[in-house]
Amino acid sequence: MTRIIADISVSIDGFVTGPNVSLTNGMGDGGMALHSWAFGDDPDDQRMLTEGMDRSGAVMMGRNLFDIIDGPDGWSDEVGYGAEEVGRPPFLVLTSSRPDSLRLKELDWTFATAGLADAIETARELAGEKDVVLMGGGQIIRTAVEAGLVDVLVLHLAPVILGSGTPLFTGGTPRTFIQKDVVATPNATHLVYEAR
């Protein structure tokens, strides 16, 4: 069965962006440091990145993240989810309303407006035999974890303290996971947990 995998980079102090996020500052002040592992040449970091891309049958995100990605300073052929393979896998956006226009028209976008559970079922259909990856932002991952909809939680713990920004978890429903893997590199500690 298709698994729902929440996969996100996070700071030591629990933030998935720095402060002052905007359309032109999508990761917030200092937030790009969370993803330096993905742009380096460490073989273990690159293996984690490749494995994540390979398992992605569909990628799901919230509307705030979509607006940044599709904005003028968002994804390009050089930067994005599987940049050299832009257009695959299909992307699903959880939103209350469809955008008026798209900049990244070459990508396969689906906009889900009937809530999180319905969006996840649509993403499962899009994923086929592969997994659905919840790439963020923090709110969609937090909500899916709290609702018990996440099968696997992958955290890329960056050796950075941001001090403020978008927290990954705040309060909410307690959940227990089983640690399945830990890969430590100079750029991140990659943590893989399965839901109980």
Side-chain angles (χ1 to χ4, degrees):
M1 181 176 181
T2 299
R3 298 176 303 167
I4 306 302
I5 300 175
D7 189 317
I8 194 162
S9 295
V10 61
S11 68
I12 292 171
D13 53 346
F15 295 101
V16 296
T17 73
N20 301 314
V21 172
S22 68
L23 287 179
T24 57
N25 189 24
M27 290 303 302
D29 298 343
M32 279 307 293
L34 297 174
H35 298 283
S36 59
W37 69 270
F39 298 102
D41 57 4
D42 182 273
D44 286 328
D45 287 334
Q46 289 307 301
R47 179 177 57 80
M48 293 299 294
L49 187 63
T50 300
E51 287 174 2
M53 301 277 175
D54 288 347
R55 71 175 165 244
S56 302
V59 176
M60 190 169 150
M61 67 187 75
R63 179 60 185 265
N64 290 342
L65 181 56
F66 165 78
D67 286 342
I68 291 167
I69 287 169
D70 196 53
D73 297 322
W75 284 357
S76 66
D77 288 341
E78 293 79 36
V79 176
Y81 198 92
E84 289 81 32
E85 303 165 21
V86 166
R88 300 293 178 262
F91 298 95
L92 184 135
V93 180
L94 177 60
T95 181
S96 60
S97 62
R98 294 177 56 85
D100 294 331
S101 63
L102 283 172
R103 179 180 65 86
L104 298 171
K105 293 179 181 158
E106 70 279 5
L107 297 178
D108 181 2
W109 295 106
T110 298
F111 296 91
T113 58
L116 179 61
D118 182 68
I120 285 179
E121 285 311 308
T122 301
R124 281 186 199 274
E125 293 169 15
L126 291 171
E129 297 297 314
K130 291 189 170 186
D131 294 322
V132 172
V133 175
L134 303 181
M135 70 172 285
Q139 181 179 358
I140 194 171
I141 289 178
R142 178 173 50 254
T143 302
V145 167
E146 288 176 4
L149 298 172
V150 171
D151 301 308
V152 178
L153 177 62
V154 180
L155 300 177
H156 308 283
L157 184 64
V160 174
I161 294 175
L162 293 174
S164 64
T166 305
L168 181 55
F169 297 113
T170 56
T173 305
R175 293 277 175 225
T176 302
F177 287 83
I178 300 166
Q179 185 171 292
K180 296 307 265 185
D181 196 13
V182 177
V183 177
T185 74
N187 306 306
T189 302
H190 307 281
L191 304 161
V192 180
Y193 302 97
E194 286 186 3
R196 286 194 168 183

